[in-house]
Amino acid sequence: MSDEPGLFEIPTGPVSGALQEMPIRPEQVQQIRGAFEEAGLSGQEERKLLINSVIIREVASLRELRAVEVRRVLAAIEQRSAAKPTSKGSAWADREEDTWIDKL
């Protein structure tokens, strides 16, 4: 037998960083932008803070993200939008406690 790994043998050395260094694709940028719009996050500073908190490094634009980071960013956007209360009525209709008028 030779010392070369076989077809079904998994090498035990470190995995190549090729997947981690892949740049973000244009369709992934559009997907993130759409998720921001759907979540109601329109401010650049708010978007930047969310992305930087998820990937734990400073990013000036979406194009600086890596492809492997997209899923974490989308999950954070989804989590943030789920945490926001979705009000369909007015502030009066959405109040939590009865007022003196309700008690009459």
Side-chain angles (χ1 to χ4, degrees), residues 2 6 21 23 27 33 35 38 43 46 50 59 67 81 88 100-101:
S2 67
E21 297 301 323
E27 53 270 10
R33 287 184 178 147
E38 190 176 306
E46 188 177 16
L50 180 113
V59 178
S81 67
K88 299 290 183 192
W100 64 272
I101 294 175

Side-chain angles (χ1 to χ4, degrees), residues 9-63:
E9 293 178 10
I10 299 174
T12 57
V15 178
S16 164
L19 288 178
Q20 297 209 1
E21 297 301 323
M22 286 181 59
I24 190 170
R25 296 186 321 264
E27 53 270 10
Q28 289 175 314
V29 171
Q30 291 303 323
Q31 188 178 13
I32 291 174
R33 287 184 178 147
F36 276 135
E37 290 298 321
E38 190 176 306
L41 298 169
S42 58
Q44 285 291 79
E45 193 61 34
E46 188 177 16
R47 291 178 176 191
K48 186 176 178 179
L49 285 172
L50 180 113
I51 290 173
N52 289 340
S53 70
V54 172
I55 62 168
I56 312 173
R57 67 180 171 91
E58 191 70 25
V59 178
S61 73
L62 288 177
R63 303 259 179 230

